[in-house]
Amino acid sequence: MALHIYNVLHREKELFQPLEEGRVNMYVCGPTVYDHAHVGHAKTYLSFDVVVRYLRFRGYDVLYVQNLTDVGHLLDSGEDRILKKARQAQARPMQIVETYARSYFEDMDALGVVRPDISPRASGHIPEQIAMIETLLEKGHAYVSDDGNVYFDVYSYPEYGKLSNRRVGEQEAGTREDVREDKRHPEDFALWKKAEPEHILRWDSPWGVGYPGWHIECSAMARKYLGDTFDIHGGGVDNIFPHNECEIAQSESANDADFARYWMLVGSLTVPDEFGIPVKMSKSLGNFYTIKDALKLHRAEVLRTFILTSHYRNPVVFSEEALESASKGWERIYGAVRLTREKLRSAEEGDAGNAFLATLDKTRDQFIEAMDDDFNAPGALATLYDLTREVNTLLNSGQAVGKAVLEAIDTTYRELGGQVLGIVPEDTAAVMGGDAERQDGLVRMLIDLRADARAAKDFATADRIRDQLAELGIVLEDRPDGTIWRVD
Ligand code: AMP
Ligand code: ZN
């Protein structure tokens, strides 16, 4: 089977055929950098990380562009997210952007997410955005309002709504956003906004001093780096409307060409609300766990395993139990990798146990079959769990296994589990000797001693362990299923 992708644009799985053989041009909507990234962001960017890793594993030359939004993404109140944060922190907007852009890359690096080839910023591409708006005005797709704002006229683009399956004018009157007086139609969206005197993110333009609307940045930057038509456009499904829909309308109207050929959207990561109903994790709702906090409790490989255990298109509920189960799964795989590498150190030359190579071939075939089916990572993971069972049986059987076979097992784990899924570390020694591992082992030992002290009703010792750890900034949390620790 060749690679098939579920194309949101046509709502079906399609054979993947890039525009240029062997090459993939891909754009993914990046974060708005006004706060630390949360685990919901990790789901989206880790999913595309595996997409890019797999495409490269399959031999494609991938050019991966992912923007950073640092201007124009407004809150429902109409305030720019970056400006609001800057005001609260009494900092310059670009200080905020710099702080959180660095924080984002730090988190992505820690998660083993391969950096995009180009990470363009909206504020660095104002001339490109202005040029595109001018084209849209010339072609009659946009208009300048009396107030000095520029809007896209959604009625000028008959296909508006094709991605999210909406039709213009279909929204109920009551749910329409405020009908702005200077818009021709309520659905028209801003390309350029006039800046009020207090709005300090501002640039000169043919329409006066102002700032771009949010959507135009992606159209302008995708075009600059990937051309009018490119292969894959990705993002979180929550941005399908209006953001992605507006990108398509702007680009196809300005360029007179198709925009992205395959649209891949990632299901949201949710957390249960007070009634137990899953709600999207989001910065503006305040129901988020930052990646930094999650990484204090769990290894990056465990977070990756947790996210890859569901198909990228599905929503996922974030819970400690799900992470615990991912942790157990990862430990199983990693245990077999460690055992293989330990045995390799003293293995004899020769091809004893050669029959196992057929199992490795089968694993590889099934892994590729799963990933070729719209990047089915849970299916691919399942092949590694199956392999792990067989590897454990082989290595614990007492049967002689030669160096060649052990090397082949290690290579299979490295390529499929490491290179593609990013859950098998290159170097076992680094994991075993790493500070994080050692610290975790020490804290867990103290947690066990505290549990023993409590069981013996020696509460003074139990409290001393907890308090002294707290002094070191390590907080213990007792939960029904055991005690966990985090760095405060
Ligand atoms: P934002 O920083 O809100 O602009 O979001 C950046 C990207 O992360 C977008 O593609 C969103 O769709 C995605 N994203 C935000 N929250 C979540 C979530 N809870 N689950 C999955 N993806 C998300
Ligand atoms: Zn975008």
Side-chain angles (χ1 to χ4, degrees):
M1 189 167 129
L3 175 61
H4 283 67
I5 295 182
Y6 181 87
N7 189 351
V8 181
L9 198 54
H10 305 136
R11 286 168 201 80
E12 61 184 4
K13 267 185 212 166
E14 293 172 355
L15 175 68
F16 179 59
Q17 287 176 304
L19 267 181
E20 191 186 320
E21 208 183 309
R23 189 178 168 87
V24 179
N25 282 340
M26 171 162 160
Y27 186 94
V28 171
C29 291
T32 308
V33 278
Y34 71 108
D35 208 339
H36 296 295
H38 56 63
V39 191
H41 295 117
K43 179 170 189 301
T44 289
Y45 298 118
L46 225 151
S47 299
F48 286 111
D49 179 49
V50 170
V51 167
V52 171
R53 283 163 174 261
Y54 185 65
L55 289 169
R56 288 185 175 142
F57 172 80
R58 286 294 243 150
Y60 289 105
D61 177 8
V62 183
L63 178 60
Y64 180 21
V65 178
Q66 186 196 107
N67 66 305
L68 290 171
T69 297
D70 61 355
V71 59
H73 192 182
L74 307 185
L75 293 160
D76 287 344
S77 62
E79 220 175 342
D80 186 297
R81 284 166 161 78
I82 309 280
L83 284 185
K84 180 172 179 191
K85 185 78 176 194
R87 199 163 37 73
Q88 287 167 343
Q90 297 192 318
R92 288 171 182 276
M94 285 303 139
Q95 260 179 293
I96 297 296
V97 166
E98 205 56 49
T99 301
Y100 294 109
R102 285 180 198 174
S103 165
Y104 172 68
F105 285 122
E106 216 173 80
D107 293 346
M108 292 298 125
D109 289 350
L111 286 173
V113 169
V114 177
R115 290 206 182 189
D117 298 299
I118 307 178
S119 303
R121 289 187 184 188
S123 66
H125 295 75
I126 301 293
E128 289 83 353
Q129 297 180 65
I130 290 178
M132 195 170 228
I133 298 170
E134 283 185 309
T135 307
L136 289 170
L137 282 165
E138 278 160 24
K139 292 189 170 172
H141 289 286
Y143 57 93
V144 186
S145 76
D146 294 342
D147 293 354
N149 299 312
V150 186
Y151 292 106
F152 185 92
D153 175 353
V154 297
Y155 283 86
S156 76
Y157 175 70
E159 293 178 54
Y160 186 71
K162 68 179 172 183
L163 185 71
S164 57
N165 223 357
R166 295 176 185 231
R167 267 182 240 295
V168 185
E170 248 185 10
Q171 290 115 307
E172 290 168 32
T175 61
R176 283 183 182 175
E177 69 176 277
D178 282 351
V179 181
R180 285 174 168 265
E181 277 174 11
D182 65 335
K183 278 194 207 176
R184 282 188 196 155
H185 319 104
E187 299 89 349
D188 291 350
F189 58 89
L191 297 168
W192 188 263
K193 289 201 168 177
K194 185 180 158 184
E196 302 303 332
E198 69 279 6
H199 199 103
I200 49 179
L201 279 172
R202 51 206 287 133
W203 289 267
D204 280 334
S205 81
W207 319 287
V209 176
Y211 58 98
W214 172 33
H215 317 302
I216 190 76
E217 66 175 89
C218 288
S219 287
M221 295 192 285
R223 178 194 202 185
K224 173 161 179 161
Y225 297 109
L226 301 174
D228 290 350
T229 307
F230 57 94
D231 300 300
I232 299 177
H233 191 310
V237 72
D238 54 319
N239 276 343
I240 190 170
F241 188 87
H243 182 63
N244 297 150
E245 204 67 76
C246 297
E247 283 181 65
I248 296 178
Q250 296 161 156
S251 293
E252 298 200 340
S253 302
N255 305 338
D256 288 322
D258 287 342
F259 187 44
R261 299 169 63 241
Y262 297 85
W263 277 85
M264 293 178 64
L265 301 179
V266 172
S268 296
L269 184 116
T270 63
V271 271
D273 68 5
E274 70 260 44
F275 307 111
I277 298 167
V279 181
K280 191 189 90 161
M281 183 179 282
S282 92
K283 285 186 269 202
S284 34
L285 291 177
N287 61 348
F288 62 92
Y289 297 85
T290 62
I291 294 172
K292 292 188 203 311
D293 278 345
L295 281 172
K296 284 177 196 159
L297 290 172
H298 302 281
R299 303 179 50 87
E301 291 89 350
V302 169
L303 280 170
R304 292 183 72 100
T305 305
F306 160 66
I307 285 169
L308 299 176
T309 297
S310 311
H311 192 273
Y312 76 86
R313 279 195 282 130
N314 293 338
V316 165
V317 182
F318 181 72
S319 73
E320 257 325 300
E321 295 76 56
L323 275 161
E324 274 311 312
S325 134
S327 172
K328 291 206 179 88
W330 179 77
E331 290 283 352
R332 243 187 305 143
I333 292 176
Y334 183 60
V337 172
R338 204 167 44 205
L339 186 60
T340 308
R341 291 181 188 172
E342 265 166 31
K343 294 225 175 224
L344 250 178
R345 278 199 283 275
S346 56
E348 311 250 325
E349 297 291 335
D351 54 9
N354 226 351
F356 199 77
L357 296 181
T359 304
L360 297 179
D361 286 343
K362 182 188 72 188
T363 301
R364 187 174 287 266
D365 289 349
Q366 290 176 343
F367 183 97
I368 291 175
E369 196 180 322
M371 291 300 283
D372 270 355
D373 181 12
D374 192 28
F375 306 96
N376 178 4
L381 261 179
T383 67
L384 293 188
Y385 287 129
D386 289 345
L387 172 66
T388 296
R389 223 179 6 255
E390 303 206 39
V391 167
N392 284 332
T393 308
L394 174 75
L395 299 187
N396 295 319
S397 65
Q399 183 196 336
V401 182
K403 201 169 173 188
V405 174
L406 289 167
E407 271 170 356
I409 296 173
D410 191 34
T411 302
T412 305
Y413 276 121
R414 274 180 205 282
E415 289 183 359
L416 309 183
Q419 204 181 320
V420 178
L421 300 182
I423 60 166
V424 171
E426 261 299 294
D427 183 359
T428 315
V431 174
M432 292 311 292
D435 283 349
E437 189 84 5
R438 197 175 293 140
Q439 178 173 341
D440 187 57
L442 286 170
V443 179
R444 282 187 195 284
M445 188 172 84
L446 288 165
I447 289 175
D448 287 347
L449 288 174
R450 175 169 165 263
D452 291 348
R454 280 171 141 194
K457 302 217 181 311
D458 178 3
F459 296 112
T461 304
D463 289 349
R464 207 173 98 208
I465 292 174
R466 192 197 52 211
D467 294 346
Q468 291 195 350
L469 280 173
E471 276 171 27
L472 294 169
I474 292 171
V475 178
L476 302 187
E477 259 181 45
D478 294 316
R479 302 203 171 179
D481 54 347
T483 304
I484 60 160
W485 69 273
R486 63 182 164 79
V487 178
D488 202 19

